[in-house]
Amino acid sequence: MKKILYLLIILPLLLSSCKSKKAMVSVPLPVLSIDSTYVGNPDVVNQLFAPDHSQLKRLTPAKKKRTVAEAPVVDSRIVSPSIVLKGTDVVSREVNVSSVYPGIDRVRQYEFTHRDVPEAFEGFRIAFISDLHYKSLFKEKELASLVRLLNAQRADVLLMGGDYQEGCEYVPELFAALAQVKTPLGTYGVMGNNDYERCHDEIVREMERYGMHVLEHKVDTLRRNGEQILLAGVRNPFDLGSNGQSPTLALSPDDFVIMLVHTPDYVEDVSVANTDLALAGHTHGGQVRIFGYAPIIPSQYGSRFLTGLKYNSAKMPLIVTNGIGTSNKNIRIGAPSEIVIITLHRLK
């Protein structure tokens, strides 16, 4: 009798369980899609989908090990790699240097790997500075600090993005100091909007006095051990009527080409075909940012090209620096002053 009662109790449960299974709808699993054109190495896709058997031999319970705390890396941050078009890989790192080099808050370092980098330029180091606005918040003490920092980086070349001054009377002493930065392949620079408004001829004269190269819609060549990379500089990128054709258009896509331009807007406003990497400033990283928001950004694209590693619509990589000095108001909040160091690597 008890068995019959148990069956009467269990039977409705079994029937309801079967009904619920019939009512279940199978949901298709998400499909992972990948655009293999952005990597430049067909083996990457195979590696993504290759099964990982590395853990099969660890089926037995592992013994708990004592962990030893490692010494922290002071004032640095690693940003995960970004893979972009044309076989390019970029890794960035920030190092705080304000306690040692007054006036410069950090060094932003990039490891830039590209298929067109010649073997002779493996490990080539580029120092990039912009928007000194001397003398704004950036004055004599900070200028001396900048020179010390740049020499300590042991870069192979120094590139400058313009907006050098806040008065023509400051131009001679500024470039006399910058001439103390020693690099094997010299110093190259373009002008910013401040420099076209005033002091243009004085800046050109002082740069040439110290053997620095002015790139105004001009392409120059960096040579090393029989191989070369190209530097293309843009003249007044705010005047597209006169300068709206990029100096890179006549170059070969097989060369490794770096474009130096004051404003990042230029690489979106016009075609910069054959450019592998562009360097720009002008935005100051917003100069004043509250919880990441910058109320004033000197770009028609808003925060799109505010700071750091960005891309134009053609997916060409662009590095925008916060710069060093200030404009309008001598204040920086949430937008650290910085120099940029880029180390080139050849994609194997």
Side-chain angles (χ1 to χ4, degrees), residues 79-276:
V79 182
S80 57
S82 300
I83 300 176
V84 297
L85 281 176
K86 300 176 68 177
T88 306
D89 181 68
V90 189
V91 181
S92 67
R93 178 175 186 264
E94 297 168 6
V95 180
N96 189 319
V97 297
S98 58
S99 61
V100 182
Y101 299 98
I104 299 92
D105 294 317
R106 69 187 183 192
V107 177
R108 185 176 275 189
Q109 302 172 340
Y110 294 87
E111 303 289 327
F112 191 89
T113 304
H114 194 279
R115 63 174 62 162
D116 289 343
V117 173
E119 287 186 15
F121 285 83
E122 171 64 37
F124 188 80
R125 288 171 61 82
I126 300 167
F128 174 49
I129 62 174
S130 188
D131 299 274
L132 279 66
H133 290 277
Y134 187 73
K135 300 176 180 180
S136 55
L137 194 62
F138 183 74
K139 296 182 172 64
E140 294 93 335
K141 179 182 177 181
E142 291 76 19
L143 178 58
S145 181
L146 173 64
V147 171
R148 286 195 301 111
L149 176 57
L150 288 171
N151 279 325
Q153 297 303 307
R154 298 186 181 278
D156 294 294
V157 68
L158 172 62
L159 305 183
M160 304 188 299
D163 271 10
Y164 300 104
Q165 46 68 37
E166 286 294 324
C168 299
E169 65 272 24
Y170 306 132
V171 170
E173 62 183 286
L174 170 63
F175 285 96
L178 292 175
Q180 298 173 30
V181 179
K182 303 302 180 185
T183 62
L185 295 186
T187 298
Y188 296 77
V190 295
M191 304 290 172
N193 51 293
N194 273 24
D195 310 319
Y196 287 107
E197 292 167 5
R198 60 175 180 262
C199 316
H200 175 272
D201 293 344
E202 292 93 328
I203 293 171
V204 172
R205 183 171 60 247
E206 292 300 316
M207 288 182 68
E208 291 178 343
R209 179 200 298 271
Y210 296 107
M212 302 176 184
H213 306 268
V214 182
L215 296 178
E216 293 195 295
H217 255 62
K218 181 181 177 183
V219 177
D220 215 323
T221 306
L222 299 181
R223 293 184 173 85
R224 196 182 198 191
N225 298 335
E227 295 186 293
Q228 67 181 33
I229 62 176
L230 302 180
L231 293 179
V234 176
R235 176 182 56 242
N236 194 357
F238 302 94
D239 181 4
L240 296 183
S242 300
N243 306 312
Q245 182 168 322
S246 167
T248 64
L249 298 186
L251 303 180
S252 168
D254 296 327
D255 283 319
F256 184 75
V257 178
I258 298 174
M259 168 179 278
L260 192 58
V261 59
H262 182 65
T263 175
D265 287 12
Y266 188 83
V267 304
E268 185 67 21
D269 291 338
V270 305
S271 170
V272 292
N274 304 319
T275 302
D276 297 301

